[in-house]
Amino acid sequence: MARISPLEVYKLLPGINCKKCGADTCMAFASQLIERKKKVEDCTVLFEEDKYKEKREKLIELLTPPIKEVVIGDGLKVGGEEVLYRHELTFFNPTALFIDISDDMSDEEIEERVRRINKFKIERVGQELKLDGIAIRCKTNDEVRFGEVVLKVVENSKMPIALCSFNPEIIEVGLGIAINRRPLIYAATRNNWKKFAELAKNYNCPLVVYEEDIEKMSDLVQDIEEYGVSDIILDFGTYPQGEPLARAIENMISARRAAIEDGFKPLGKPILGNATVAWLVESDPIKASHLESSLAASLMLNYADIIFMHTLETWAILPLLTLRQNIYTDPRVPIQVEPGLYAIGKPNESSPVLVTTNFALTYYTVASDVEAGKVDAYILVLDTEGLAVEPALAGAKFTASLVKEHLEKFKVDEKVNHKTIIIPGMAARLSGEIEDITGWRVLVGPIDSSRIPKFIEEKWKKNGKA
Amino acid sequence: MLNLDDIIRILSEVDEIELEGVSIEAQELIMELKQGLAYIPVAKHAKKEKVEKKKEKLKYERKIREYTGSIQEVQIGATRKEGGTRDYVIKIGGQTTLYPYEGGYKNRPVVSFDVFDIPQPQFPKVLREIWSEVWHDPVAWAEKALEYGADLITIHLVSTDPHIKDTSPREAAKTVEELLQQIKAPIIIGGSGNPEKDPKVFEKVAEVAEGELCLIASANFDLDYKKVAQVAIKYKHNVLSWTSLDINDQKSLNKLLFEEGLPRNRLVQDPTTAALGYGLEYTYSIIQRIKQNALKGDSELQNPISCGVTNAWGARESWMKTPEWGAREYRGPLWETVNALAVLFAGADIMMMLHPLAVKTVKMVITSIFEKVNPSREVKYEDWIKI
């Protein structure tokens, strides 16, 4: 279902299997190019020899994603997507979350907000979830104040920034101060676009174009491109509810489909969603944060590559960052957890030892079931190369000798005073072999981990202990 | 500068007119011209200049996408006229396009509140606070859920599990009977998840609810799904075909249920809703794939999709008191909301939920996207800069 097939790419490679790129064959290199694990430049032959000029150019054109990749600051990539649905390949650049700073906030408030945005970090499934940037908006319409605030932000944060005003003179003041940061400029409209295009061109910065009518957006983008601006981000306007919200999302989907399904380049740009509009209809900070996060989720699920937000409440941001982590998980590579012995609750030497795989979903399901059942236990996580129990068994990645290896490696016998392990119900057929080669007694657990607490209650407490 | 009246006056006085260096600034210009005055070189002239200066622009046009398949429309609940006793019915599915804006959605997605036949003291605190005063009485629980905006109700007969209360099928049937008498909304009937007991419970319950066109949840590979299908056929109910995150399993179970004789428009499928943060991406992609394959013509997948969004509460982030994650009383309902939005935008038709605030927000999004209601407050987008 991917846009390009390895064969198409292969035809544009030298086809000499020289291995200089690190891949064994040109065909393997072709697949890696599509998966973005390698770059065209890795094929040095293609660049050294003149006879490949035509192939090289065609290949670069072919590999340019239908949604342009735009860089904000010194390396925040947005867009660059290949597919409409993650199962067709994967999504590449996770939606960037920008938190706003208004120039009418006090200096102390700004410093505090910037500090919180900088240090925001939550660990989940072995990944660090963070925010991506700061959107500075000019509410005062006072260029002196805006300049002061931009300076304050730039001095206190290394994060990518967006300068937000519909007045080009104000933006220019901000650009003068933050020029080394390559900020995102917000926003050109059908009325002011020439001045904004001029700024984006002169300062070489990415530019947001705001236009609610998709046909006019397409025209406007082409005018601005012809003017010489190449990094453009589309803002169709976000509304907090009702028909205008439907229209905004419809535009986002239509733009993405036109670019990917029909190869319509003018709309093949990253899309900006703006959840801060929740604060236009809700003044209570809790209600507004709830609505804002819900809107942000809706935008993220409908192709927003950048989202502006106002709330800094962790409870409102965590669900969003988790959603992003889920949706942008590469479906080709299951997330794994580190093999090892994990303590759930407060296990002691007589607590049960449950064996499972290092496929993250399996592990976290088992762990949360054990935890929900208020069971104190150890979980021995086997390195099944990220496979769940059933495929690991089928592919001989979950074997008796692997169990033996892990029991020894993680010194399970030093943690508990018994020699019994509980294996997944689906792995029942391994029980005899495991007992034979490890010397540990095996209890076959339930097929579904939700029944582990009951199983511990009934089987372990009666028979498990040595 | 000339105004339109001047132009018309001049045009009426001369036979031919040639303008140079003129551009017309107007959205649309309609001129009624007398016969003999049809030749106006103005527009032509201006256009010519433009072509020389500018590259031809690509025009955006929304392409109409063709879909060869469509989703079955399933009705839950039957009115008196139809052999049941419901005041209203719920229709789901029936889509002929992938997105609502393409015009193929006759029904909007719906929300069902979960109701249990016994109290649920293990609920997270924010849910206990809402439901504990009614959880001793399924009817009171259902009534409160309807006040909170439920489109329909799911009664989970969890007490029938031999490990819980081992309530007999007969008693379970009484619970359902009473619910059907007291509330007028269509209902979904859930078992306890015990594979031996559920078919027996469904048999009795389906009998007392004969003709009501309930949705029996569920038929799955762990239990005697044929019996569940037979009971649903005999007493005129719908069946929820439930599998575990595997599109091929979903296809085979649907097929097997149809082979039992279940009418095509009496099946709703549930490919399992994993919680936000705990495999939601699998659910998200499977729902998208089911909908896309169905619209491409895969007849074994052309049924509406139900999602147990309540599973969101299985994620510890939704309920655990962890100060660095922020206040859990706000975090929990939002966790369920975001979980629901993910399945909603992927293509869910029924969302089973638990928290009233989550339901309120999700229904706001549903009425926005699928019914395009007028917003209760008009806002000007550019004002976000001044919040």
Side-chain angles (χ1 to χ4, degrees):
Chain A
M1 286 291 278
R3 184 176 57 94
I4 330 164
S5 77
L7 198 62
E8 279 174 90
V9 175
Y10 176 79
K11 284 180 186 159
L12 298 170
L13 293 172
I16 53 173
N17 300 336
C18 69
K19 302 189 188 180
K20 282 183 190 160
C21 61
D24 278 349
T25 61
C26 288
M27 190 55 116
F29 180 62
S31 306
Q32 289 169 349
L33 279 177
I34 293 170
E35 291 171 12
R36 289 194 209 174
K37 286 174 183 156
K38 287 238 156 56
K39 293 185 189 132
V40 183
E41 293 75 30
D42 293 332
C43 178
T44 49
V45 178
L46 204 56
F47 285 83
E48 279 160 12
E49 292 180 40
D50 236 22
K51 63 173 174 181
Y52 293 128
K53 187 168 178 277
E54 199 183 320
K55 281 191 167 184
R56 182 170 72 218
E57 280 163 5
K58 275 190 181 165
L59 184 60
I60 290 169
E61 160 115 35
L62 180 69
L63 290 171
T64 303
I67 306 304
K68 191 177 163 60
E69 187 168 85
V70 171
V71 177
I72 306 167
D74 66 356
L76 175 66
K77 292 179 192 165
V78 294
E81 300 302 341
E82 287 276 348
V83 292
L84 283 170
Y85 308 102
R86 59 185 291 283
H87 64 257
E88 294 174 329
L89 184 66
T90 185
F91 289 156
F92 289 96
N93 295 316
T95 311
L97 292 190
F98 277 56
I99 304 292
D100 74 337
I101 295 269
S102 172
D103 69 350
D104 74 330
M105 292 172 180
S106 71
D107 286 0
E108 298 73 49
E109 199 182 342
I110 290 170
E111 276 168 34
E112 170 64 9
R113 260 178 100 76
V114 171
R115 198 182 57 78
R116 284 173 63 194
I117 299 166
N118 283 339
K119 71 167 193 137
F120 190 99
K121 187 175 82 183
I122 292 170
E123 264 199 47
R124 273 202 94 253
V125 203
Q127 293 178 356
E128 282 183 350
L129 308 181
K130 290 177 167 182
L131 299 167
D132 304 278
I134 299 173
I136 311 166
R137 54 188 168 88
C138 181
K139 181 175 177 180
T140 60
N141 214 27
D142 170 357
E143 55 188 53
V144 178
R145 177 59 188 160
F146 187 66
E148 280 171 11
V149 172
V150 172
L151 185 63
K152 192 161 268 312
V153 172
V154 170
E155 282 174 346
N156 287 288
S157 177
K158 292 192 173 67
M159 289 187 125
I161 56 174
L163 304 173
C164 310
S165 169
F166 292 105
N167 178 346
E169 280 147 36
I170 283 181
I171 293 294
E172 183 148 29
V173 171
L175 283 169
I177 293 161
I179 183 58
N180 296 330
R181 305 290 285 274
R182 201 169 187 261
L184 176 63
I185 302 173
Y186 183 100
T189 65
R190 59 169 100 161
N191 301 319
N192 68 16
W193 70 267
K194 271 193 185 150
K195 284 181 179 161
F196 271 82
E198 192 69 28
L199 288 174
K201 199 162 95 176
N202 292 344
Y203 289 87
N204 184 30
C205 289
L207 176 65
V208 177
V209 179
Y210 159 57
E211 170 58 60
E212 296 190 12
D213 179 311
I214 190 167
E215 288 169 37
K216 291 200 175 73
M217 174 68 99
S218 166
D219 290 349
L220 192 51
V221 163
Q222 291 174 76
D223 284 337
I224 295 172
E225 280 183 316
E226 195 175 299
Y227 205 87
V229 179
S230 55
D231 288 347
I232 293 173
I233 288 170
L234 314 177
D235 176 9
F236 291 104
T238 304
Y239 287 84
Q241 50 169 258
E243 188 275 335
L245 174 61
R247 192 159 22 95
I249 287 180
E250 172 185 333
N251 280 339
M252 293 165 75
I253 300 170
S254 298
R256 198 49 58 103
R257 291 183 93 184
I260 293 179
E261 291 185 334
D262 311 328
F264 187 74
K265 288 197 170 142
L267 297 176
K269 310 282 188 283
I271 294 172
L272 179 135
N274 193 341
T276 65
V277 295
W279 298 79
L280 294 174
V281 290
E282 288 284 4
S283 49
D284 172 61
I286 289 162
K287 286 184 184 165
S289 296
H290 174 89
L291 176 62
E292 184 177 36
S293 190
S294 307
L295 286 174
S298 304
L299 296 165
M300 191 185 284
L301 291 160
N302 288 290
Y303 305 116
D305 299 288
I306 308 185
I307 294 175
F308 285 173
M309 293 192 72
H310 179 66
T311 191
L312 251 177
E313 294 288 349
T314 315
W315 62 261
I317 294 172
L318 178 61
L320 263 188
L321 293 181
T322 307
L323 178 68
R324 177 175 78 180
Q325 188 184 30
N326 282 171
I327 300 300
Y328 284 85
T329 292
D330 188 339
R332 303 164 300 174
V333 192
I335 330 185
Q336 306 179 13
V337 291
E338 279 296 309
L341 190 68
Y342 291 77
I344 306 294
K346 292 192 177 78
N348 58 33
E349 55 198 14
S350 60
S351 298
V353 177
L354 300 149
V355 176
T356 192
T357 74
N358 77 327
F359 174 43
L361 183 56
T362 308
Y363 168 73
Y364 286 104
T365 310
V366 173
S368 69
D369 285 336
V370 171
E371 196 171 297
K374 297 190 173 62
V375 177
D376 296 314
Y378 287 105
I379 299 182
L380 180 62
V381 176
L382 306 178
D383 183 3
T384 56
E385 299 170 27
L387 292 178
V389 177
E390 210 170 9
L393 285 164
K397 302 285 184 205
F398 185 158
T399 60
S401 53
L402 191 79
V403 174
K404 180 171 191 275
E405 202 181 286
H406 284 69
L407 281 170
E408 287 163 5
K409 189 174 173 192
F410 299 108
K411 300 189 169 67
V412 182
D413 57 350
E414 290 176 16
K415 288 279 200 286
V416 293
N417 62 8
H418 58 81
K419 288 202 89 176
T420 303
I421 53 170
I422 300 169
I423 64 168
M426 267 185 254
R429 64 188 143 101
L430 291 183
S431 65
E433 201 187 339
I434 295 174
E435 287 193 338
D436 290 348
I437 69 164
T438 63
W440 285 61
R441 194 155 72 91
V442 172
L443 284 180
V444 176
I447 288 173
D448 188 309
S449 67
S450 63
R451 295 189 193 132
I452 290 175
K454 184 128 268 167
F455 178 86
I456 301 284
E457 182 68 32
E458 288 168 4
K459 300 272 168 55
W460 174 260
K461 291 194 174 152
K462 281 176 213 149
N463 318 312
K465 287 174 195 173
Chain B
M1 197 191 270
L2 299 172
N3 64 28
L4 268 178
D5 288 339
D6 295 333
I7 295 174
I8 291 163
R9 187 172 46 77
I10 295 167
L11 285 173
S12 66
E13 285 166 14
V14 296
D15 285 328
E16 191 174 314
I17 172 171
E18 196 176 328
L19 302 172
E20 265 182 24
V22 168
S23 65
I24 294 178
E25 286 181 24
Q27 293 264 325
E28 198 175 10
L29 199 56
I30 300 172
M31 283 188 187
E32 268 188 45
L33 301 170
K34 284 186 211 155
Q35 233 171 4
L37 265 180
Y39 177 58
I40 306 175
V42 182
K44 226 180 175 179
H45 198 103
K47 202 180 168 194
K48 207 173 168 188
E49 269 188 8
K50 226 180 173 181
V51 172
E52 278 161 14
K53 241 177 28 199
K54 287 197 170 182
K55 201 170 80 186
E56 193 72 35
K57 256 188 230 165
L58 296 169
K59 274 282 159 205
Y60 170 77
E61 262 176 78
R62 194 210 279 160
K63 292 241 162 74
I64 306 291
R65 321 273 164 183
E66 297 291 334
Y67 301 98
T68 48
S70 60
I71 312 293
Q72 293 282 343
E73 183 175 69
V74 173
Q75 178 178 333
I76 303 175
T79 59
R80 284 183 191 283
K81 231 161 115 187
E82 295 164 327
T85 60
R86 305 299 84 204
D87 273 7
Y88 63 93
V89 303
I90 294 286
K91 287 183 181 174
I92 51 167
Q95 296 93 330
T96 55
T97 61
L98 191 54
Y99 292 99
Y101 71 78
E102 296 174 282
Y105 276 57
K106 35 175 159 168
N107 303 302
R108 66 165 173 84
V110 296
V111 176
S112 161
F113 263 100
D114 281 344
V115 171
F116 294 80
D117 66 346
I118 45 169
Q120 298 295 307
Q122 81 287 1
F123 267 6
K125 190 161 173 271
V126 282
L127 293 174
R128 285 203 307 270
E129 282 166 4
I130 290 161
W131 302 114
S132 63
E133 62 176 52
V134 289
W135 69 22
H136 294 278
D137 176 7
V139 171
W141 190 337
E143 279 168 349
K144 192 166 178 185
L146 288 167
E147 282 169 27
Y148 279 129
D151 294 305
L152 67 172
I153 295 295
T154 303
I155 173 76
H156 294 278
L157 301 166
V158 289
S159 77
T160 58
D161 189 318
H163 302 293
I164 296 177
K165 261 180 89 182
D166 205 11
T167 305
S168 69
R170 195 171 296 278
E171 270 176 88
K174 254 169 82 181
T175 304
V176 171
E177 216 173 359
E178 203 171 319
L179 200 60
L180 285 169
Q181 276 165 13
Q182 302 297 322
I183 70 157
K184 293 300 161 200
I187 66 167
I188 300 170
I189 299 166
S192 67
N194 183 293
E196 286 80 40
K197 188 76 174 281
D198 274 357
K200 296 175 196 159
V201 172
F202 292 149
E203 186 170 27
K204 271 275 162 282
V205 170
E207 190 186 342
V208 298
E210 182 167 10
E212 294 280 14
L213 214 46
C214 300
L215 174 60
I216 298 179
S218 66
N220 58 68
F221 280 125
D222 286 344
L223 50 64
D224 186 353
Y225 59 83
K226 289 186 179 177
K227 176 149 186 190
V228 178
Q230 286 154 7
V231 160
I233 295 163
K234 186 171 174 194
Y235 299 112
K236 208 184 167 208
H237 297 292
N238 300 292
V239 173
L240 186 72
S241 167
W242 175 46
T243 56
S244 295
L245 295 174
D246 185 323
I247 193 169
N248 294 318
D249 280 358
Q250 189 67 62
K251 232 173 114 94
S252 353
L253 183 58
N254 294 353
K255 190 161 185 270
L256 288 164
L257 292 169
F258 292 138
E259 279 169 10
E260 273 316 296
L262 187 71
R264 292 262 164 186
N265 64 354
R266 297 251 293 274
L267 184 146
V268 178
Q269 48 191 340
D270 178 357
T272 296
T273 299
L276 173 61
Y278 295 84
L280 175 62
E281 68 272 27
Y282 292 88
T283 302
Y284 180 75
S285 288
I286 286 177
I287 296 174
Q288 288 191 328
R289 288 169 62 200
I290 289 177
K291 276 269 145 80
Q292 289 167 18
N293 288 346
L295 291 169
K296 277 183 204 147
D298 188 333
S299 61
E300 310 304 343
L301 291 171
Q302 291 172 332
N303 286 74
I305 295 170
S306 173
C307 287
V309 174
T310 309
N311 289 342
W313 295 96
R316 66 196 57 171
E317 288 87 341
S318 69
W319 54 266
M320 205 186 266
K321 195 171 177 179
T322 307
E324 53 279 26
W325 291 345
R328 62 171 169 174
E329 64 266 41
Y330 310 130
R331 198 198 319 133
L334 184 60
W335 203 265
E336 190 182 20
T337 307
V338 171
N339 209 145
L341 292 171
V343 297
L344 174 70
F345 283 111
D349 297 279
I350 303 179
M351 282 163 287
M352 299 184 179
M353 299 181 66
L354 263 173
H355 198 284
L357 177 58
V359 169
K360 188 175 165 220
T361 309
V362 169
K363 289 198 79 167
M364 181 280 284
V365 175
I366 291 173
T367 54
S368 298
I369 303 295
F370 297 88
E371 294 179 342
K372 298 192 177 183
V373 294
N374 288 324
S376 56
R377 244 180 91 179
E378 296 280 352
V379 296
K380 200 167 158 253
Y381 174 63
E382 291 99 312
D383 288 347
W384 80 268
I385 295 227
K386 293 182 229 150
I387 54 169

